[in-house]
């Protein structure tokens, strides 16, 4: 029998608690410490743990989209197409910083379907419009 387990993307930053609160508010989730020492915070939503935020005081702030740095990883937050403008207002009000659209190698970033940001600690994420209700997608 397989031991029950799950996986989660973990972002490193110098101050994990405020960043966990940022993502919890942005995603309509909750955030709390996963360890007694406060080194790891988990953001938990309707579908379970959606993101981890880990303390790493030596972690430099990401500098993407500078040409010498690669994006490496980003969060793609799915949003109903008709709610994209509202989701953008929420993200910016919580402290997200818009990142200029750039050629991604396949097509020009289209603001009607994809919007790029940096979170308060500098990690990149996008709000991406989808045809189906994102809540319905998370149940499948």
């Amino acid at each position: 029998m397989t031991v029950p387990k799950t996986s989660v993307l973990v972002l490193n930053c110098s101050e994990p608690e405020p960043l966990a609160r940022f993502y919890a508010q942005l995603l309509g989730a909750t955030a709390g410490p996963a360890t007694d020492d406060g080194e790891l915070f988990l953001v938990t939503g309707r579908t379970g743990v959606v993101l981890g935020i880990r303390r790493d005081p030596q972690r430099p702030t990401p500098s993407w989209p500078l040409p010498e740095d690669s994006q490496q990883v980003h969060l793609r937050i799915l949003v109903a197409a008709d709610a994209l403008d509202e989701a953008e207002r929420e993200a910016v009000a919580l402290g997200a910083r818009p990142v200029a659209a750039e050629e991604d190698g396949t097509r020009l970033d289209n603001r009607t379907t994809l919007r790029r940001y940096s979170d308060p600690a500098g990690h990149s994420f996008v709000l991406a419009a989808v045809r189906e209700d994102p809540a319905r997608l998370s149940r499948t």
Side-chain angles (χ1 to χ4, degrees), residues 13-15 39 54-60:
C13 68
S14 60
E15 293 295 327
E39 294 296 307
R54 182 182 155 271
R55 183 180 315 279
D56 182 355
Q58 305 306 315
R59 170 82 170 115

Side-chain angles (χ1 to χ4, degrees), residues 20-106:
R21 284 194 311 265
F22 167 83
Y23 278 110
Q25 289 178 327
L26 184 63
L27 299 172
T30 60
T35 57
D36 290 337
D37 59 9
E39 294 296 307
L40 177 67
F41 284 77
L42 296 178
V43 177
T44 307
R46 293 183 314 273
T47 60
V49 176
V50 294
L51 184 64
I53 311 290
R54 182 182 155 271
R55 183 180 315 279
D56 182 355
Q58 305 306 315
R59 170 82 170 115
T61 300
S63 58
W64 181 85
L66 294 179
E68 62 271 11
D69 292 335
S70 66
Q71 185 177 15
Q72 296 181 2
V73 68
H74 72 278
L75 297 175
R76 182 166 291 241
I77 299 171
L78 306 178
V79 179
D82 62 354
L84 190 57
D85 289 338
E86 183 178 351
E88 178 174 48
R89 285 189 294 274
E90 289 175 355
V92 171
L94 291 168
R97 295 178 306 275
V99 174
E102 296 185 12
E103 183 67 38
D104 68 4
T106 57

Side-chain angles (χ1 to χ4, degrees), residues 83-128:
L84 190 57
D85 289 338
E86 183 178 351
E88 178 174 48
R89 285 189 294 274
E90 289 175 355
V92 171
L94 291 168
R97 295 178 306 275
V99 174
E102 296 185 12
E103 183 67 38
D104 68 4
T106 57
R107 64 178 175 76
L108 189 63
D109 186 346
N110 182 345
R111 286 202 38 87
T112 62
T113 60
L114 184 74
R115 301 185 187 169
R116 296 177 181 187
Y117 307 88
S118 289
D119 69 23
H123 304 100
S124 56
F125 73 93
V126 298
L127 295 175

